Amino acid sequence: MMRMDERAKVISLNTSGLDVNKLKARIEDELQHTFLETYINKPVIDEEKLRLLNEIINATSLSEYQKERYIVTTMLVQVALDTHDLVPSKTEQDESPAVKLQKQLRVLAGDYYSGLYYLLLAEIDDFDLIHQLATAIKEINEYKMDLYYQEALSFEEYMKLTKRIDALLIVRIAAYLQVPTVEQLAEDWLIVGNIVEDIKRLKNGKSSSLIKNWANGDSDSTLLISYLDKYLQKKICHVNQKVKNLTSNQQLAVHIRKQLTEVFHTKTSIAEKG
């Protein structure tokens, strides 16, 4: 097993390291299960998380094999967590057998993906990483319980918990591998994309997927958009400040600046339509 000082040694990032598209294909291969895909949607791989993770891992002296294993394993954990989140926390009285089957299959799928990452972790033989991921999963589930049971949370408190849950896996890996610039950026950057998508949903007459629990059935989309938009502006400012610190991660900095430009154009387009 590599010593921590070897594992965290920073190298030049003038090259792109592992290819994100190839990594995504590798993860999809691991996730492929014909039976599950017949009855539930294919799991979604969050490309922004994959990109952040790739930057974190490529800032180390790990071997190419280890880098791929770290990335694939961590993303499998993320997919397992995301899949379990798709299962509604409440059961409707008039729920059909088909809906109940969907829920059961999603739970099964999440457990299956969890099993895959345990298998890959065993192959890596890195007990420190296993501990980091296990601790992160425990913290995420605790935060989810806080989010579910704590009533009367302010919008700021709700969003703070939400963005922490969403980014915690990436944050913990960045801290473990001593890549502080990405660790500090991850929460704010990931929530920006989620907010933009939620505003789009609300503008198109759909329910909020990001703050539906906080809104508690509130159908005033104009008010919800206002809350989200103000929070978005604040997070964009934070991201812009933190991107300046990505001196050794120029490719990531360029990508984020490009995405922020697209966010601005998207917001302008949505505002004009609204």
Side-chain angles (χ1 to χ4, degrees):
M1 188 186 303
M2 296 183 69
R3 297 195 314 272
M4 185 63 190
D5 58 339
E6 293 175 332
R7 186 164 51 237
K9 181 181 177 183
V10 176
I11 60 175
S12 171
L13 290 182
N14 292 329
T15 60
S16 61
L18 301 175
D19 182 81
V20 171
N21 290 325
K22 289 181 180 178
L23 284 169
K24 185 177 179 183
R26 173 78 174 82
I27 296 163
E28 287 173 342
D29 285 343
E30 291 288 346
L31 292 169
Q32 188 172 14
H33 192 293
T34 305
F35 174 77
L36 289 173
E37 289 178 6
T38 302
Y39 294 99
I40 62 174
N41 294 332
K42 289 181 66 174
V44 176
I45 298 169
D46 190 318
E47 290 193 26
E48 287 305 315
K49 289 181 182 176
L50 178 56
R51 190 179 297 276
L52 287 173
L53 193 58
N54 193 28
E55 292 293 338
I56 292 165
I57 301 300
N58 278 306
T60 71
S61 60
L62 292 164
S63 69
E64 293 298 296
Y65 172 80
Q66 287 173 311
K67 286 178 181 179
E68 182 180 295
R69 284 296 184 182
Y70 271 47
I71 293 169
V72 171
T73 301
T74 305
M75 288 307 296
L76 284 176
V77 175
Q78 188 65 63
V79 168
L81 289 167
D82 292 345
T83 301
H84 279 141
D85 283 345
L86 293 174
V87 181
S89 56
K90 296 179 180 179
T91 301
E92 302 296 335
Q93 289 185 346
D94 58 346
E95 204 167 72
S96 69
V99 171
K100 289 180 181 177
L101 177 60
Q102 278 275 326
K103 287 183 179 180
Q104 292 167 349
L105 286 171
R106 280 178 178 156
V107 173
L108 175 63
D111 292 343
Y112 172 71
Y113 302 144
S114 297
L116 287 177
Y117 97 76
Y118 280 121
L119 175 62
L120 289 178
L121 282 176
E123 293 175 0
I124 292 174
D125 192 29
D126 189 326
F127 293 106
D128 288 340
L129 177 65
I130 293 171
H131 176 71
Q132 291 297 321
L133 290 173
T135 301
I137 292 168
K138 177 176 177 291
E139 286 184 66
I140 288 169
N141 287 329
E142 287 173 351
Y143 283 133
K144 285 179 179 178
M145 295 295 283
D146 289 341
L147 201 63
Y148 182 76
Y149 284 110
Q150 287 188 22
E151 296 182 0
L153 285 173
S154 70
F155 181 76
E156 288 283 340
E157 290 170 330
Y158 180 88
M159 292 302 292
K160 183 178 180 180
L161 270 176
T162 299
K163 72 187 181 78
R164 185 169 293 169
I165 290 167
D166 189 48
L168 189 60
L169 210 57
I170 304 298
V171 168
R172 287 290 177 265
I173 295 297
Y176 170 58
L177 295 174
Q178 298 179 10
V179 188
T181 51
V182 178
E183 178 189 352
Q184 294 159 11
L185 173 73
E187 281 191 8
D188 286 334
W189 173 232
L190 290 172
I191 200 66
V192 163
N194 291 339
I195 294 172
V196 170
E197 289 305 311
D198 218 44
I199 290 174
K200 281 184 190 177
R201 287 181 60 85
L202 289 166
K203 282 282 187 178
N204 290 325
K206 298 179 181 178
S207 63
S208 164
S209 57
L210 182 64
I211 59 171
K212 58 185 177 183
N213 292 329
W214 179 82
N216 197 25
D218 190 339
S219 58
D220 188 345
S221 60
T222 302
L223 181 61
L224 296 181
I225 289 169
S226 174
Y227 276 119
L228 287 168
D229 191 58
K230 288 177 183 177
Y231 193 81
L232 177 61
Q233 297 308 315
K234 187 189 301 183
K235 294 299 115 181
I236 287 175
C237 288
H238 291 171
V239 169
N240 276 322
Q241 288 298 318
K242 290 171 183 176
V243 165
K244 295 175 183 177
N245 297 325
L246 291 174
T247 53
S248 60
N249 302 74
Q250 282 303 303
Q251 289 184 337
L252 180 60
V254 169
H255 168 74
I256 290 176
R257 288 191 180 104
K258 180 181 177 183
Q259 293 297 105
L260 286 176
T261 301
E262 291 180 9
V263 167
F264 173 77
H265 288 308
T266 299
K267 274 175 54 58
T268 303
S269 174
I270 289 172
E272 288 173 351
K273 290 178 181 177

